[in-house]
């Protein structure tokens, strides 16, 4: 059992965006999904990822969705990790800085090798319901709030608590849950707070709606489908993280 791993790398050139974490600690999480998952960014160049599979790291590193990740070992979706990492810099990481950091982490510690292809896939556009204006069921974030999405799963119900979440991020989350590609076409440029509850399994007798229905009823959003060529990331090699 891997108890913990520490990644030590040098800091990037002064004045440029960091390309590698100064320290990253990776631990297996054996609790299962019932304890919830999270991906949080904090001041001081810190991130904390809780109970997430490696596929989430790939999605975040390359800004893609689950349906765009092709191949890889079976544990890509099942093995879960807790990761705490920091850049060694005082400033909070911006969304566009996260990609290079996670890409290097995946390459250095998980041995990720890949190539890209174009494939014809079904995509879904996330749009505002016709009877909703300006995201009427969404609450605009409060000043100073940090962006976070925390998922909790219990018997017959999943819950997403979003804080200062953009519609682009929500579209990606929904796409990953559905196993499809969802793109933001809402036209909403703000970030929002919301709580979304749905039945994780398609059960017509469930008192909780499906995810698609919950989006419409609880957030005033819906999905439109179409076919489109999409770039996918094909995994050629991936390994479980080794001890230092």
């Amino acid at each position: 059992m891997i108890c913990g791993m520490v990644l030590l790398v040098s800091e990037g050139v002064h004045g440029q965006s960091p390309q590698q974490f100064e320290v990253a600690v990776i631990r297996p999480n054996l609790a299962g999904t019932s304890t919830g998952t999270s991906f949080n960014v904090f001041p001081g160049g810190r991130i904390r990822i809780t109970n997430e599979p490696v596929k989430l790291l790939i999605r975040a590193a390359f800004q893609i969705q689950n349906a765009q990740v092709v191949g890889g070992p079976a544990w890509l979706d099942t093995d879960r990790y807790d990761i705490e990492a920091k850049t060694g810099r005082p400033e909070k990481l911006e969304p566009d800085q996260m990609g290079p950091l996670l890409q290097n982490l995946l390459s250095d510690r998980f041995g990720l090798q890949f190539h890209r292809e174009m494939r014809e896939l079904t995509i879904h556009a996330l749009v505002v319901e016709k009877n909703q204006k300006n995201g009427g069921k969404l609450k605009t974030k409060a000043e100073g709030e940090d962006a976070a999405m925390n998922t909790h799963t219990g018997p017959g119900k999943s819950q997403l608590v979003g804080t200062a979440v953009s519609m682009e991020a929500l579209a990606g989350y929904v796409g990953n849950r559905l196993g499809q590609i969802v793109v933001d076409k809402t036209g909403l440029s703000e970030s929002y707070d919301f709580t979304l509850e749905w039945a994780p399994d398609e059960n017509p007798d469930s008192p909780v709606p499906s995810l698609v229905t919950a989006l419409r009823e609880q957030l005033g959003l819906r999905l439109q489908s179409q076919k489109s060529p999409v770039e996918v990331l094909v995994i050629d090699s991936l390994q479980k993280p080794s001890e230092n």
Side-chain angles (χ1 to χ4, degrees):
M1 183 63 61
I2 304 171
C3 295
M5 295 159 280
V6 179
L7 171 66
L8 299 175
V9 295
S10 60
E11 188 176 0
V13 179
H14 181 70
Q16 297 180 353
S17 296
Q19 298 294 303
Q20 292 177 303
F21 290 114
E22 180 184 73
V23 177
V25 179
I26 307 174
R27 296 187 179 93
N29 187 310
L30 306 178
T33 58
S34 61
T35 60
T37 65
S38 64
F39 190 134
N40 296 302
V41 182
F42 302 99
R46 296 191 304 117
I47 68 167
R48 180 184 298 144
I49 301 171
T50 304
N51 199 23
E52 294 283 11
V54 178
K55 184 174 280 189
L56 174 121
L57 299 182
I58 295 175
R59 294 190 332 238
F62 296 96
Q63 292 299 293
I64 56 179
Q65 298 180 25
N66 272 349
Q68 291 173 272
V69 181
V70 178
W75 57 264
L76 181 66
D77 292 288
T78 58
D79 285 18
R80 292 175 174 272
Y81 294 91
D82 296 337
I83 300 175
E84 293 204 33
K86 63 179 182 178
T87 62
R89 299 185 176 195
E91 64 270 17
K92 183 178 178 180
L93 289 170
E94 298 295 331
D96 61 351
Q97 295 177 311
M98 195 67 66
L101 290 164
L102 293 178
Q103 288 175 30
N104 278 318
L105 183 65
L106 286 162
S107 175
D108 293 342
R109 303 309 299 162
F110 292 86
L112 175 65
Q113 298 181 27
F114 65 92
H115 68 277
R116 300 177 188 269
E117 296 179 3
M118 295 298 295
R119 297 191 180 185
E120 188 83 3
L121 300 175
T122 298
I123 68 170
H124 303 272
L126 183 68
V127 300
V128 178
E129 273 279 76
K130 293 181 180 180
N131 61 346
Q132 297 292 323
K133 293 183 178 180
N134 301 322
K137 294 187 177 182
L138 295 164
K139 179 183 176 183
T140 304
K141 73 163 187 173
E143 186 174 353
E145 279 188 328
D146 291 329
M149 287 195 288
N150 296 312
T151 302
H152 307 278
T153 301
K157 184 174 75 172
S158 291
Q159 181 188 72
L160 170 64
V161 179
T163 304
V165 174
S166 69
M167 290 296 96
E168 181 180 12
L170 177 60
Y173 181 93
V174 172
N176 294 327
R177 286 284 169 172
L178 296 177
Q180 299 286 345
I181 296 173
V182 178
V183 296
D184 171 33
K185 296 294 183 180
T186 62
L188 303 176
S189 58
E190 300 291 334
S191 295
Y192 300 90
D193 298 344
F194 56 84
T195 298
L196 185 65
E197 296 182 342
W198 71 96
D201 301 314
E202 293 293 335
N203 182 356
D205 298 324
S206 173
V208 185
S210 68
L211 179 54
V212 173
T213 301
L215 280 169
R216 185 177 68 252
E217 294 178 348
Q218 299 170 24
L219 302 186
L221 304 172
R222 62 185 175 90
L223 299 177
Q224 293 179 333
S225 301
Q226 64 187 63
K227 286 280 190 177
S228 178
V230 176
E231 185 177 73
V232 299
L233 184 148
V234 182
I235 297 175
D236 299 316
S237 179
L238 188 70
Q239 305 167 5
K240 293 188 179 184
S242 60
E243 297 185 57
N244 288 327

